[in-house]
Amino acid sequence: IGTPFVTSVMVDPSDHRAVWLGVEIDGVFRSLDGGETWTHVENGLYDPDIHAMAIAATTPTRVLASTARELFISDDMGEKWQPVGVKAKWPLPYARGIAVKADDPEVLFAGCGETTTGEKGHVLRSTDAGHTWELLNLPVQANSTMWGLAVHPAEANRILAFSLFGEV
């Protein structure tokens, strides 16, 4: 299967003692004491191949975790995870990057593709916390899976996306 490795490290901006780790092929780990102790939070997270994670500044805090085949959301600090159902909602099934709009936690961005590398990729946006998704038009067609996304903090309508083969 391979060796697990950390793909995401996040600190909850509303509680600096809440730390999250996403581990490829080993799931999500949560610490509520600043990293002194860790809990493997996996209830409903049936795919442990964590690719990326994000935190939405909601009350309660919403945590997102993408895997090779799904995007999971938890509204209870990881006690239970709900799948979004990307196979029915996204044009390509391989979930990779995830980001939350800085000034609106209901707006999510996701990167997807065919496989780990693939030959094309897309950036999608949800304005309703992952229930529905729209394909965003990019200046050029991505030539691989979209691996990472970031929302510009000063310009909340700008998003940076990158694939294995360059920035789009």
Side-chain angles (χ1 to χ4, degrees), residues 69-82:
R69 294 163 289 282
E70 189 58 88
L71 173 65
F72 294 89
I73 298 176
S74 176
D75 287 320
D76 60 4
M77 297 297 288
E79 292 299 320
K80 185 167 184 180
W81 297 88
Q82 295 293 325

Side-chain angles (χ1 to χ4, degrees), residues 66-71 85-97 110-124 133-135 138 141-146:
S66 70
T67 71
R69 294 163 289 282
E70 189 58 88
L71 173 65
V86 299
K87 286 184 181 178
K89 298 177 182 182
W90 292 7
L92 296 171
Y94 189 78
R96 200 71 203 184
C112 69
E114 299 164 305
T115 62
T116 301
T117 55
E119 294 183 10
K120 63 181 173 177
H122 297 294
V123 176
L124 301 116
W133 294 86
E134 66 180 313
L135 184 66
L138 301 175
Q141 173 61 52
N143 63 355
S144 73
T145 296
M146 301 306 295

